[in-house]
Amino acid sequence: MKILTTPHVEHYTLGLVEALLGLGVKVTLVTIQRRYGVAARHYPVPRVPVPRRREWLQHAALAALAPFHDVVHANNSSEGVASRAYDHLLVTQHGCPDPAAVEEGLRWFYEREVRSLLSLHEIGVPIVTISYFSASEMREKLGVKVTRVIHHGLLSMFRRERARAFRAPHTVLWVSRLVPFKEPFVLLRAVDRIKGEAAFRVIISGDGPLREHVLSFAERRNLGGRLTLLKVPFHRMPLVYGEATIYVHTCSREAFGFSVLEAMGSGLPVVVPDAGGAAEVTGDAGVKFRAGDSDDLADKLLAVMQDPELYEKLSRRSLERARAFDWSAAARSYLELYEKVRR
């Protein structure tokens, strides 16, 4: 079987494509100025240097190559519409598109995503999403009933065999884009509250428009000596997880939460909101705080920091939970759908 597809975030692209290749699927990746470290056939196209038109050549390549493949697997609805391959198209929608939840400069993209998703759903194109939380949001907000939920897997580079031993002082890790949707100040207000009760430092791995606001908050609240901001390439992220002792996630509407899964695979105790895809991915393995509640997060974080028995139990649970997420299983689920939609 020949599949034409597009990349998404690096973990997803590497994991799913490698697993599909392992099942004997021939994969062609249409990318924008990028080659990935997988043995798929690559069609890298230039980025168009025009605002809101940077994917134009990628979309044109999808439409041109679609007739020569059994299935087109698009990783957003706009790509699906651009491919024009409606009779052999599958779309993975990586979360419910919500223009109101993103920064102003990206709203046009999410507005287009909503229109594209609704049009594809109306004509019966199969829609996959990545969590039951996302499936629920799409049904309630847009009236879109997805065909299937397929959880992501976890790459072996993030898998650790042995649980962590309690080690203080702690290093609290947060990984995401610095944008309002990800709620980084829920963490910052929590660590500000407990800064006098425990010895710890905080690593934020990510960048975005809130970076200067984060630094300003840290300076005003005398957190500067505890806080480190990093911009780390994907292949070096296992080193960052290895340096941390606790992982905190704050986004209450996360579609999935790759960083949560990576942290669990790395044996870190995880503290997540009690809402959204991060809670779904964590299951019963982590500690949950009331979404958006910095005081509750502070209490839960301090409990993990100060209780060696709880810490080591959570590390074991993280490793066990992470084993449930497997790229081979995800690829087999996609292959079942490919068989149904192939030309």
Side-chain angles (χ1 to χ4, degrees), residues 38-95:
V38 288
R41 188 175 186 183
H42 284 68
Y43 273 91
V45 299
R47 186 188 306 271
V48 177
V50 178
R52 304 190 183 187
R53 293 291 184 271
R54 68 184 186 90
E55 330 101 309
W56 185 85
L57 287 176
Q58 184 190 38
H59 287 180
L62 282 171
L65 295 170
F68 304 101
H69 291 80
D70 299 310
V71 176
V72 175
H73 180 177
N75 278 295
N76 63 52
S77 293
S78 300
E79 293 172 350
V81 169
S83 75
R84 304 175 192 168
Y86 306 122
D87 61 341
H88 60 295
L89 175 64
L90 173 75
V91 173
T92 297
Q93 191 69 43
H94 295 262

Side-chain angles (χ1 to χ4, degrees), residues 249-317:
H249 197 80
T250 51
C251 180
S252 56
R253 289 185 57 199
E254 190 71 69
F256 182 81
F258 254 132
S259 59
V260 176
L261 180 55
E262 291 164 358
M264 288 195 299
S266 304
L268 291 175
V270 296
V271 185
V272 303
D274 60 1
E280 180 178 329
V281 169
T282 304
D284 295 329
V287 174
K288 295 185 175 70
F289 67 93
R290 289 188 297 273
D293 188 335
S294 294
D295 287 333
D296 194 41
L297 172 57
D299 292 338
K300 301 292 172 57
L301 185 55
L302 197 59
V304 178
M305 287 182 175
Q306 295 181 337
D307 187 337
E309 184 178 348
L310 173 63
Y311 180 94
E312 293 178 4
K313 179 174 72 173
L314 290 170
S315 179
R316 292 192 296 271
R317 286 183 176 178

